[in-house]
Amino acid sequence: MQRSRVFRGALLLVVAGVAFAQEYAASFSIRAADPDGRYVPDAQVVLTEEESHAIWSGKTDTSGLIAFSPLPPGRYSLDATKQGFTSVHLTGLDLGVRDQKNLTLPLSVAI
C-alpha cells in the first residue's frame, strides 16, 4: 500500500512538471530565404539561450523552415550558416512566456 502511494505521488510530480513546462514554454519558427524570397534548405541554425548557454541546433528543411519548441522563456542569440551564403548572427531575441515567434532569416549569396 505504501509503495502505491509513493508511486502515485511521484507520477503526480512528473505530470505537474510536464504541465508546468508546457504552460510556460515558448517557440521559435525560423525560415531561411535568399534576397529573392526563395527558401534556403539545409542551412545550419544554432539557437543559444544567452543566460544559461543552452544550445538548440538543426538544419532547415526543404522549405527553409526549422522550428524549436518547447523553449524556456529568455533571451536568445541565433547563428545561421550555409555554404555559398553569408552567415547571419542575431542577438537579443527575447522570448516571453508562451511566445510563438516567427522569424525570416535573410541569407545573402556570398560573393
Side-chain angles (χ1 to χ4, degrees):
M1 186 71 153
Q2 179 68 16
R3 182 183 271 178
S4 177
R5 274 190 263 164
V6 170
F7 175 75
R8 280 185 277 177
L11 182 60
L12 179 61
L13 287 174
V14 168
V15 170
V18 169
F20 178 81
Q22 289 176 348
E23 176 73 20
Y24 295 100
S27 66
F28 252 123
S29 293
I30 300 157
R31 183 171 311 270
D34 71 13
D36 295 325
R38 291 183 296 247
Y39 303 141
V40 179
D42 297 320
Q44 179 68 40
V45 180
V46 178
L47 189 65
T48 305
E49 202 282 323
E50 293 180 358
E51 185 176 325
S52 69
H53 302 287
I55 295 174
W56 293 262
S57 65
K59 289 190 175 191
T60 57
D61 63 15
T62 57
S63 62
L65 183 65
I66 187 167
F68 297 103
S69 177
L71 295 171
R75 178 165 284 184
Y76 289 82
S77 63
L78 184 145
D79 291 283
T81 57
K82 165 87 178 188
Q83 187 172 3
F85 292 84
T86 58
S87 298
V88 173
H89 177 74
L90 303 174
T91 60
L93 302 170
D94 290 320
L95 270 182
V97 172
R98 288 182 271 164
D99 278 353
Q100 296 178 344
K101 294 201 175 178
N102 299 306
L103 179 65
T104 299
L105 288 179
L107 295 179
S108 299
V109 175
I111 299 174

